[in-house]
Amino acid sequence: MARVLVVGSDVQGERALLQRLRVAASLPADTVRSCRDLDECDLLVIKDTPALRNAALRMVRERPRIQVWVEDQNGQLHQGQGDDQGVLDDHAIEDALRQMPGAPLRIDEPCTAQGAKAITRALRERLPARQGHAVLVLNEVPTLLLDFAQDQMVVLPGTDPCSLAQLLSDQFEALSLHGLSERRYQELGGTLPRQPLRPLLWQWGQRPAHWHDLDARLQRGARVKLLRWPDFRVLGHQHDSFRLCSLLLKRACSVDECASLLDVAPDAVRSFVHPAYLCGYAALEDAPASSVPLRAGEGGGTLLARMWRSVRQRGGG
């Protein structure tokens, strides 16, 4: 955010000035804030009097990162330092505020998906294709850069990586997805670290919020088909997840069939299906008109049971 110290105005005048800066720069309300400490501010705005000009120049002499603007008697803003002290129009104000430390990145690219359903659909389409780049935006603030080609992400400043999965889940409906060119992706990402994308998506998908429609289909008997093995980093040492992968790669099964064949809780099956679906690893098939649930001793279950007994015996389990 841009932190502004206003000197020489009353409270009403300060509020009006801050609002004018926000409007000129097209910034959300909480990204241009009043500041009371000179050592913490990005911009010092003073009324145009000789005394205040001289005082301001003295105050920022040892703080070269702070910009000084002067508000004249007509309410127009000017640069307070340097040779060019012409009037600052809205374009100049916007450019200056957006270049200040902590100012939010600007996303001009159009929104391609808004809300949980649309973003889930977009991720499921773009992840397997491994093409293109995008950014997730929350309340007009860019939060996460996505590189589908390299299966990577960049967590943008102002976002806590440790709570990111929970944030995305809690704010799923408020998120918007914007497509980016590779050049724009590199520009926004800068030198920030690139990290694997799938582990975050898997953690995001494991949160229970916003899966009501998917769970309704599963409740009606829809069958889950795994399209390929997930990234092993997302599975970790989850024994039941590996068993579910082996089963669902061989055949499509409902939640109840998975629970019966593998002797796992239905909730555990759903907690696997949610992230697998979000990441594009899994697809759903509607239940046939009449179907009889498999029992553990029938068909593919027998082969699967024998296979896992063999693996456990070799491993001493």
Side-chain angles (χ1 to χ4, degrees), residues 292-306:
V292 179
L294 284 175
R295 295 186 297 273
E298 295 180 347
T302 303
L303 176 61
L304 185 69
R306 287 201 304 269

Side-chain angles (χ1 to χ4, degrees), residues 164-223:
L164 181 54
Q166 189 64 56
L167 173 70
L168 295 175
S169 177
D170 292 343
Q171 302 295 329
F172 210 159
E173 286 296 346
L175 291 171
S176 60
L177 185 74
H178 303 248
L180 297 176
S181 66
E182 182 174 3
R183 180 197 62 77
R184 182 67 168 142
Y185 171 86
Q186 298 297 343
E187 177 184 298
L188 292 173
T191 59
L192 294 171
R194 273 57 173 168
Q195 303 174 48
L197 173 59
R198 301 292 177 129
L200 171 70
L201 295 181
W202 194 270
Q203 294 173 35
W204 178 5
Q206 285 183 312
R207 270 62 177 182
H210 302 292
W211 295 120
H212 311 298
D213 291 344
L214 178 60
D215 284 339
R217 291 184 64 187
L218 295 173
Q219 185 68 31
R220 293 193 295 268
R223 291 179 170 177

Side-chain angles (χ1 to χ4, degrees), residues 199-263:
L200 171 70
L201 295 181
W202 194 270
Q203 294 173 35
W204 178 5
Q206 285 183 312
R207 270 62 177 182
H210 302 292
W211 295 120
H212 311 298
D213 291 344
L214 178 60
D215 284 339
R217 291 184 64 187
L218 295 173
Q219 185 68 31
R220 293 193 295 268
R223 291 179 170 177
V224 183
K225 175 66 176 177
L226 203 65
L227 305 176
R228 64 184 180 90
W229 271 99
D231 186 326
F232 280 88
R233 286 171 298 189
V234 309
L235 298 178
H237 300 287
Q238 302 170 28
H239 182 67
D240 287 339
S241 293
F242 278 94
R243 298 173 67 206
L244 283 163
C245 289
S246 297
L247 172 62
L248 297 175
L249 279 167
K250 293 179 180 296
R251 55 164 298 144
C253 292
S254 68
V255 169
D256 289 341
E257 288 171 341
C258 289
S260 175
L261 288 167
L262 301 179
D263 191 25

